[in-house]
Every structure is written in structure tokens, then in C-alpha cells.
Amino acid sequence: MRLKDKVAIITGAAAGIGLTATEVFAREGAKVAMADYNVEQGVEQARVLREKGYEVTFFQVNVADRVSVDAMVEKVREVYGNIDILINNAGITRDAMLSKLTVEDFQQVIDVNLTGVFHCTQAVLPSMVEKGRGRIINTSSVSGIYGNVGQTNYAATKAGVVGMTKSWAKELGRKGINVNAVAPGFIETGMTAKVPEKVLNQMKQMVPLARLGKPEDIANAYLFLASEESNYVNGTVLHVDGGIIM
Ligand code: CAA
Ligand code: NAI
């Protein structure tokens, strides 16, 4: 088992990549705090995973709200003790062409995808510093590296996540905390299900591996960066996109 008895918080764990990562981490022996905004789905998915024998618990959180994040981290520490791994996976899209993008939709995506990552990381920091080790894994995107039509707000956050990852890798390395990011390509989840079919077909044609990614493809990258196999990896952005960016 690659994560035996490690305590991991995975945000956005009620669906998509976060849900798959929860199962992959739990299978590797981690105790997983499934942190998500969606209570109904989160509780149900946690129940299903517990029935399979995994050590997971659902905690409601809105990553955009600092009070909510602090309360979630406190509850996780009460239940599982100090935190070893944080996967900043929660994210949203509000896609629109620049000419039509509202200020509200610009701001909402910043609040969740960028400020949310800051809130969660700052909130777990004392716990990791106390342990003298930790892993922080952020979720960027091909859109943040490469840009994307209709994603002014989203691309800004995902590029920002890369900047924060590298700053924290420099700042926290000497405290025993490795900070890295994964930059997924187009992955089959609820997020890409909203993309018009014509655009999705264009995307598939951009991928040298000639398919969309699966949540497992990203969960396995999170696993590598959370495990001891990546002890000397710090400040990197791991592209898991079938070769779109090279
Ligand atoms: N790449 C290339 N062309 C795109 C495009 C994209 N990502 N998105 C839209 N276009 C093109 C459309 O094909 C269309 O072309 P034509 O004029 O030749 O028909 C043109 O731009 C205008 O598009 P719409 O007619 O759809 O304009 P709209 O105002 O009704 O909608 C939109 C705009 C909301 C951006 C919609 O096109 C859309 O949802 N596009 C997809 C955006 C996208 O790629 N989102 C990624 C979501 S998945 C994700 O975010 C995960 C991740 O990290 C990668
Ligand atoms: P998804 O939409 O399937 O799941 C996202 C989860 O995050 C949901 O359970 C949702 O309830 C939760 N969430 C949303 N806002 C929240 C908030 N404020 N607080 C707490 N939880 C919240 O999305 P998916 O595809 O699994 O994406 C996961 C991450 O991967 C996101 O950061 C996304 O930007 C990123 N990503 C996804 C790609 C894709 O193609 N699906 C590509 C590149 C990056």
C-alpha cells in the first residue's frame, strides 16, 4: 500500500476526478476526507465507498469561503488527526466568450478555483508544519497553460494555480512539504459533458493519444505525487493530457 495510514483531504471529492481519486487513495490505505460543496452526493458516495470497506468520511465545505474551509479542516483533524496530503481538486467552469462574460461569472470562478486553493492550503499548513512533512497537490489545466476559447476566467485561475504552486514549492520545501500541480487535458467528467459536441470533437483531434482522458488518469498522477515515489519532486507541473502540450 502506497499511502498506508496517511490522512488525505481531497476537495471536490463528490464527483468526477475527486471521487475517483478518493477511491484510488483509499485503496492504497489512506484515510480520506471527502470535502465537497454537494452534501447529498458527497454523503451518498462516502456511504458507497465505506460499504466497500474504505476509510472515508464526507465533510461539507465551500472552498471559496474561508470560515467554511477552516471549520472543515478543524473537523478533519478531530476525526483523523494531522493532515498528510491535500489535493486541491475542487473547481468550476462558467464558460463564455470574452464579449459575453459577466463580472459575476468572472469573479465566481476566481473565488472557487484560485482563492479556494489559497484558503485550503493556508488552512492545512499548521498541521503539516507540525508534522514536519506534507504533500500539496494543486489542479491546473491545459487551459491554464495553453489558453482556451471561452475560458478567460477559468484559464486565469489555472495559470494562477501554477504560480502559487511554484511559490509554495520554494517557500515550503524546507519545512518538508512538497508542492506540485497536475495539469489535466480534457477528461471525461461532468465538466466536459457541458461542452458542445462540435467543440469536444475538435478537442479530441488535438490529442496525440486520440482519446479524452479518464478520471483514473488524473487520480493516478495525484497518487504518484502523494506517494513516497515522488519524494524528490517539488514545484513541478505534471501534464496529464495525452500529449496536447509537449
Ligand atoms: N475551441 C475552439 N473553438 C471553440 C471553442 C473551443 N474551446 N469553444 C467555442 N468555439 C467556437 C465554436 O465552435 C463556434 O465556432 P463557429 O462560429 O465556427 O460555429 C464559435 O467558437 C462560437 O461558439 P458558440 O457558437 O458556441 O458561442 P456561444 O457564445 O453560444 O458559446 C461558449 C460560447 C460558452 C464558450 C461555448 O462555445 C462553449 O461552451 N465552448 C467550450 C468551451 C470549452 O472548451 N470549455 C472547456 C470545458 S472543460 C474544462 O474546462 C476542463 C479543462 O480544464 C480543460
Ligand atoms: P466535476 O465538475 O466533475 O467535479 C467537481 C466537484 O467539485 C463537484 O463534486 C463539485 O460539487 C465540487 N465543487 C465545486 N465547487 C466547489 C466549492 N466551492 N467547494 C467545494 N467543492 C466544490 O469536475 P472534474 O472534472 O472532476 O474536475 C476536477 C478538477 O479538475 C477541477 O479543478 C477542474 O478544473 C480540473 N480539471 C478538469 C478537467 C476536465 O476535463 N474534466 C481538465 C483539467 C482540469
Side-chain angles (χ1 to χ4, degrees):
M1 285 199 183
R2 291 154 76 187
L3 300 178
K4 188 151 176 41
D5 293 330
K6 299 283 186 201
V7 176
I9 295 178
I10 302 181
T11 68
I17 295 167
L19 177 59
T20 301
T22 300
E23 181 153 7
V24 167
F25 276 43
R27 200 189 301 141
E28 292 294 336
K31 299 169 186 172
V32 185
M34 300 174 68
D36 201 288
Y37 191 65
N38 188 333
V39 186
E40 205 176 314
Q41 196 161 330
V43 167
E44 173 56 16
Q45 295 298 350
R47 187 190 62 75
V48 169
L49 289 172
R50 288 181 85 92
E51 262 181 27
K52 290 187 185 179
Y54 295 130
E55 183 49 68
V56 303
T57 307
F58 176 74
F59 297 84
Q60 202 210 354
V61 70
N62 174 6
V63 297
D65 174 356
R66 185 49 176 265
V67 174
S68 166
V69 169
D70 284 342
M72 178 273 288
V73 170
E74 203 178 307
K75 279 186 218 143
V76 174
R77 288 179 81 173
E78 277 166 25
V79 174
Y80 286 134
N82 273 345
I83 294 138
D84 298 288
I85 301 158
L86 169 67
I87 312 287
N88 279 310
N89 167 82
I92 58 168
T93 52
R94 294 287 181 270
D95 293 349
M97 294 302 188
L98 175 59
S99 56
K100 295 189 198 159
L101 180 61
T102 65
V103 172
E104 289 72 26
D105 280 350
F106 181 82
Q107 192 59 49
Q108 198 181 354
V109 172
I110 300 284
D111 290 348
V112 175
N113 296 10
L114 189 67
T115 315
V117 173
F118 160 70
H119 285 325
C120 293
T121 306
Q122 207 175 44
V124 302
L125 197 56
S127 175
M128 289 187 180
V129 169
E130 205 172 294
K131 273 201 160 179
R133 62 168 195 271
R135 293 295 170 97
I136 292 162
I137 296 148
N138 296 328
T139 312
S140 180
S141 161
V142 62
S143 300
I145 314 288
Y146 195 75
N148 192 17
V149 173
Q151 293 206 296
T152 298
N153 46 2
Y154 183 84
T157 64
K158 296 301 186 179
V161 159
V162 171
M164 293 199 296
T165 301
K166 293 183 179 181
S167 299
W168 296 338
K170 289 186 173 172
E171 195 174 318
L172 304 177
R174 65 193 153 146
K175 297 189 189 301
I177 302 170
N178 301 41
V179 188
N180 293 290
V182 175
F186 301 102
I187 312 300
E188 286 170 354
T189 68
M191 192 174 265
T192 41
K194 287 187 248 161
V195 174
E197 206 181 331
K198 180 183 158 192
V199 177
L200 210 54
N201 286 333
Q202 282 174 306
M203 287 167 177
K204 273 186 212 164
Q205 284 165 15
M206 285 159 50
V207 188
L209 285 182
R211 66 167 176 90
L212 297 182
K214 297 195 177 306
E216 293 78 5
D217 295 320
I218 307 308
N220 286 328
Y222 289 160
L223 174 61
F224 168 67
L225 291 172
S227 74
E228 307 233 324
E229 289 151 33
S230 62
N231 277 351
Y232 203 56
V233 181
N234 190 33
T236 199
V237 180
L238 180 55
H239 298 277
V240 184
D241 61 11
I244 297 175
I245 292 170
M246 61 174 92

